Amino acid sequence: MALQQGVSVADVAESGPGLVFIVYPKAVTLMPLSPLWAILFFFMVLLLGLDSEFCGVEGFVTSCQDLYPQVLRRGHNREIFIAVVCFVKFLIGLAFCTQGGMYVFQLFDNYSASGMTLLWVTFFQAICIGWFYGLADRVGWNFGGTKFYWDIKSMVGFRPIMWIKICWMVVTPLMTMGIFIFSLVRYTRLTYNKTYEYPVWGEALGWVMALASMVMIPAGFVYNILTTKGTFSERIRTLLTPIYTKRKGDQGGEEDANAIPMADGLKADHYSVPDGDKPGTIL
């Protein structure tokens, strides 16, 4: 394609939505059996979209279900809620199908669905799991990634590879924060097709979408600190204490009607491991 147009490859293969909907389809037409490759390519794009939709919807719905189990775990309320979420997303997606939809799509894609927003959220998720999980009721070094490591063993019956634990505690936080800082330092104005530069109000709208999710993490931390009773250290300890749900077979307390029974064979305490392989040991 670059040879036919007499331009460099960098000018042809520009990243972004144009790469999928313009460059790749044009490249497919230059291949042998182009109709077959075109069908396979767009079928792949369809499956990729469905897969991304499953992740986005299930992640949101599951979080809401955990927050309001007494509502969403009764009858067909969960299915109805999923239908409402999908319909609202469908209405938002209609804006991408207008004549200026590509400009709106790139605004959402750059500020809301990827880039700095995703790095910011991933960084806090990693340090929460790697360093703060189970910190309030820790035993020795058994907290954070180590405790989560052994909790997974108690649930599925085997330990993940050690590299996963290292990623939780070190690799992922360092890489995500490093790339996030690099993105801020190298930040440039958003453009489309290297010709159209978004106006200031459009870029401000993008930052509003980005900060709508980014600010919620520190804002939630401050809100919970202010609304929890006790001294500062007591508040921190309370907020770091996990909430345990009583299930059938648990000793003491009343059973939670909304609790999902744990499968047989997965109730063994994760501290019941051979000597020399205790969860408090630094591996």
Side-chain angles (χ1 to χ4, degrees), residues 10-90:
D11 294 329
V12 174
E14 182 185 0
S15 62
L19 184 65
V20 176
F21 297 109
I22 299 177
V23 178
Y24 281 174
K26 177 62 177 177
V28 166
T29 61
L30 302 178
M31 299 172 62
L33 299 175
S34 58
L36 174 62
W37 293 115
I39 293 173
L40 293 176
F41 172 75
F42 283 105
F43 183 65
M44 178 200 70
V45 174
L46 175 63
L47 293 180
L48 180 63
L50 289 175
D51 179 69
S52 302
E53 187 69 15
F54 276 118
C55 293
V57 172
E58 281 298 321
F60 176 75
V61 170
T62 303
S63 299
C64 294
Q65 179 178 296
D66 291 341
L67 288 173
Y68 307 102
Q70 68 279 7
V71 177
L72 295 179
R73 290 185 182 178
R74 298 189 181 280
H76 296 284
N77 291 353
R78 186 177 190 274
E79 288 77 10
I80 296 173
F81 182 66
I82 292 175
V84 172
V85 170
C86 291
F87 182 70
V88 172
K89 291 193 173 187
F90 165 76

